[in-house]
Every structure is written in C-alpha cells, then in structure tokens.
Amino acid sequence: MRSEEHVGWEGDFLVRYLLVQEDTGDEEGDVLWGRCAEVEGLFADAPALPREVLTLRGCPRESLLVQAVTADLEPVRLLGNGMLSIEPADPASGGPALFWDLEDTAVLAQRPTPGDPGRVDIVVGAGVARYDDLRGGRRLPSSPRFELWFPSIRGDNPSGGCRSIDGLFTPRPHRPTQPVHLIGCEPAPPLLALLCHPLPQQADPITLRCLDRHGRTMANYRLGLDTVEARPSVLGGTLIDVTITDPGHDRPTLAARTVWEIWSRGVPTQPNQWAQFDAEGRSAWLNLTRVGPYGLHGHSGGTYHLDGQHATDRSGLLLALGEALLGPGANYGMNLDAVEDNLCGGPSVVPPFTLVWHHAAITRHALAGHILHHLGGLSYFEATVNILREKGVTIVLQ
C-alpha cells in the first residue's frame, strides 16, 4: 500500500494523514485503518516531570560518565536528557529489560564510593519517567545490570553504568496526557470495528502516517488507541471526527509545527531554509530529512561546498553537511556515527571527494563548547572534521 494511492478521495479536502497498521509479517502487509483531512493536537510539548534526586551508586571510574563529571578542567554538570535501562546481568538468563527516561539531568555532587576507590557515586537531579511497568509480571531482575545513556556524552551508545540507584524505585504519577483529534476521518473497517466498542479496551498502537500535498510520507508517529470516541465530523458529509484521549507522548513538539508547514508543500528545494529556526526547530527539520531524497549510491570524486555561516549547533552542522553533499531536504547522517557509516558506503557521495567548508570559523566558535568526551574531548566541529579526513575527504576550511 502506497501513500500516493490515498491522496484522492470522495471529499473536498486533501488527505493529509493516514492511519495504518504496519506490516506485521503476514501476507497482507500494511493495513489501512482510515484517512483524515486534519489532525488537531498532534503537536504538543510534553509537560515537565517533577524533579527528583537520584544517587547512582558504584559507577566505574573508567566509564565515560565518570570521566566527564570528574574532569579536572571542565567537569560536566548538565547531562541533559538520558535513558536508564536495567537488564539481567547474565543475558542468557532471559527476562525483559526495563527502561526509564531521565529528563534534564543535572549533576549535584560526586564522591568516591565508600570502600571502593575504583568507583564513584554520582548524585543527580532529574525528571524521572518509567515506561516499563514493574507490575503485571515485569519484575526487577534478580541480578540487575544498570546502563545509562546520555547523548551529550556518548551519542547513541551507553555512557556508563552503576551498581544501584537510590530513589529510583518509588511511586510516581503518570505524565498527564493530551488528546489528539482526527478531523474529517474516513474510517476503514478495522477502525469501524474498534469504534463499535465504546468502553476502554486494549488495542495495538497504530501508525499515523503524515503526508505532504503530493502524497509523500513526511513522518510516522505511533498513537495508542486504548480509548477513542467518535462523532459526526465538523467537515460534514459522512466523515467522522475521532478523539484519542490517551495517544501517548511520541509526538512532534510545538516548535515543529512551522517546520512541518513548510515541508507539507513538498521536499524543500532551496538551501538554508532551516537556518531561520532555533535549535528545536532545526532538530524537527533534521527529523523530516530521514525520508530522503537520495540519489544513486557510491558516487565519488568532485568538489562540494558547505555553507557554515548557519551551522551553529549540532543539527545545523548535520543539515549543512547534508545539503552540501546531497542537496536540500536530505541528510548525510542524523549523528556523527551515521555520518561515519555513510562515508564507508552510504547514499550518493563517498570518498574520495573535496569539501570546501565556507565560514568554518563561525561553526568552530559556535560548537567549541560541545565536547565529545568519548572522542578525546574534541569539540563537535573538530570531531566532524577528523571523521571526514580519516575517511578520505579532503577538507578545505575557509
């Protein structure tokens, strides 16, 4: 099933969203649940979590997390958003992994672990959200292994671990939900069957597929359908409006709304359109470049020009690099690990080639404080240049 097949319908409104149950491995493939003219409430900033104090007990001194927070010159105090996983110490023993989000994490103190000079206790403040319930059979492993991820330190890989965490296992309220309204919805049989049961029920999440005016998929988001309500649509006809009262928190932020409006006209064709946005808007723009466009694979040689005057944050640098090599609306990696992978054989352009980096001093200065501890304390700019050069790209900084 292709999105383009559902652009036209017997209505006066453009189809901008599809409800799809994605391929579950059977012969049917994706199953259409409905198509909608609009969605209200999709863009929402998650409410801030209440602040809590946690003590990470017994963090190994050799871990990047400890090295970052105990650095002599510039110890890291703001770890940002992160994630905690708890898994069985022996993977062969089985059992589910349990996960927590750590929001806006700040280091409050660090000190040697009593009786173990090779480990450090770290006290942090954070908003804590558990999204694996320990009830219903999801029990803490008998010999748990604690892993911590902080992208500000280690990208998408673990930053370190600890032996235990004080203050983690405590009752806390669920994050408040914000409903989503599907406006002008033409339901398909699976959605009609769900709506015939008015009481809350357990339903598999559905994918909200967001389309531009050409029918191209811009992005996909998962929506929970445990509680839904339907009524005649404000757009009239035989359409309905559907309210999902607890859709989950995987939604684009309010800052993404303006970005999406630009992309809804089609893939951007002009360079630096993302430059008008702040860091949050640029991040939303980068997320929309996941779908391409990409050209033929394996092309090498030639000279490309990177405009660095707006590459003043991480997302901006990645967007500028993607535009330089592949054109507007594309990316050459969502992070430096992905950039390195693409240099080894990714989309369209592979080394050797020449990259002329204009206004390089602007990017260097803006990213001087973005330190990557797992790469020897290099700044994000320096690490990017090093990766490109190590993979065979000739860099000309201007």
Side-chain angles (χ1 to χ4, degrees), residues 4 29 58 72 81 94 100 149 152 173 193 205 209 212 226 259 270 298 310 324 331 333 355 390:
E4 293 84 351
D72 292 332
N81 295 332
W100 282 257
W149 279 261
S152 61
R209 191 166 291 174
D212 67 14
D226 290 355
V259 173
Q270 298 298 317
H310 304 297
N331 79 75
L355 182 67
E390 288 172 358

Side-chain angles (χ1 to χ4, degrees), residues 20-372:
V20 177
Q21 185 178 42
E22 294 188 331
D23 189 355
T24 56
D26 56 26
E27 295 181 357
E28 294 184 4
D30 293 352
V31 177
L32 180 69
W33 277 48
R35 30 191 196 173
C36 306
E38 274 296 348
V39 174
E40 174 55 36
L42 176 63
F43 300 92
D45 293 334
L49 293 166
R51 303 295 294 176
E52 303 182 35
V53 177
L54 306 177
T55 301
L56 314 179
R57 299 284 187 188
C59 304
R61 282 192 177 274
E62 66 272 15
S63 68
L64 290 169
L65 174 61
V66 171
Q67 292 177 28
V69 304
T70 61
D72 292 332
L73 296 179
E74 295 185 18
V76 174
R77 289 182 50 82
L78 301 180
L79 297 171
N81 295 332
M83 187 183 73
L84 160 71
S85 75
I86 303 180
E87 304 176 19
D90 179 10
S93 65
L98 308 174
F99 297 92
W100 282 257
D101 282 326
L102 303 178
E103 183 178 275
D104 193 21
T105 309
V107 177
L108 306 179
Q110 55 86 12
R111 55 181 179 266
T113 299
D116 192 343
R119 293 180 178 269
V120 172
D121 293 347
I122 303 173
V123 181
V124 300
V128 183
R130 185 178 67 206
Y131 53 93
D132 272 288
D133 199 333
L134 294 180
R135 297 168 297 177
R138 299 188 68 82
R139 300 178 182 277
L140 188 68
S142 57
S143 299
R145 177 168 58 90
F146 294 75
E147 292 282 0
L148 295 150
W149 279 261
F150 290 104
S152 61
I153 295 177
R154 188 59 180 94
D156 294 332
N157 296 303
S159 309
C162 60
R163 286 177 169 170
S164 63
I165 300 180
D166 294 352
L168 179 64
F169 302 106
T170 183
R172 52 180 59 92
H174 291 288
R175 193 193 296 259
T177 61
Q178 302 179 60
V180 165
H181 308 281
L182 311 180
I183 307 298
C185 182
E186 181 184 73
L191 180 56
L192 285 173
L194 181 69
L195 294 174
C196 289
H197 300 82
L199 296 177
Q201 55 185 299
Q202 188 68 34
D204 291 333
I206 206 74
T207 296
L208 181 69
R209 191 166 291 174
C210 314
L211 312 178
D212 67 14
R213 65 180 181 182
H214 305 296
R216 170 185 176 274
T217 297
M218 293 168 44
N220 295 301
Y221 283 91
R222 302 282 278 175
L223 296 178
L225 293 180
D226 290 355
T227 309
V228 294
E229 303 171 357
R231 58 197 172 279
S233 177
V234 295
L235 301 186
T238 60
L239 303 176
I240 62 174
D241 294 342
V242 179
T243 295
I244 305 172
T245 57
D246 189 5
H249 299 289
D250 181 21
R251 284 188 266 173
T253 64
L254 291 174
R257 187 193 296 272
T258 306
V259 173
W260 279 45
E261 191 62 28
I262 295 174
W263 277 75
S264 69
R265 305 166 195 157
V267 178
T269 58
Q270 298 298 317
N272 290 332
Q273 284 184 265
W274 49 267
Q276 61 186 294
F277 297 103
D278 61 12
E280 198 169 356
R282 293 180 178 192
S283 178
W285 191 289
L286 184 62
N287 284 334
L288 293 181
T289 65
R290 293 175 183 270
V291 194
Y294 301 120
L296 297 175
H297 287 237
H299 176 73
S300 63
T303 299
Y304 300 85
H305 295 267
L306 189 155
D307 183 359
Q309 62 179 322
H310 304 297
T312 52
D313 56 14
R314 297 188 185 197
S315 294
L317 188 156
L318 294 169
L319 287 167
L321 180 62
E323 284 194 347
L325 298 179
L326 300 174
N331 79 75
Y332 198 78
M334 306 296 291
N335 51 51
L336 289 188
D337 289 338
V339 169
E340 189 169 6
D341 289 342
N342 287 332
L343 290 168
C344 295
S348 292
V349 181
V350 294
F353 61 86
T354 298
L355 182 67
V356 181
W357 195 317
H358 302 274
H359 308 288
I362 293 177
T363 308
R364 184 196 298 272
H365 176 74
L367 294 175
H370 294 257
I371 304 300
L372 300 178

Side-chain angles (χ1 to χ4, degrees), residues 3-24:
S3 300
E4 293 84 351
E5 297 172 358
H6 299 283
V7 175
W9 60 342
E10 296 179 2
D12 299 327
F13 311 101
L14 185 68
V15 175
R16 298 190 62 179
Y17 299 91
L18 300 179
L19 287 172
V20 177
Q21 185 178 42
E22 294 188 331
D23 189 355
T24 56

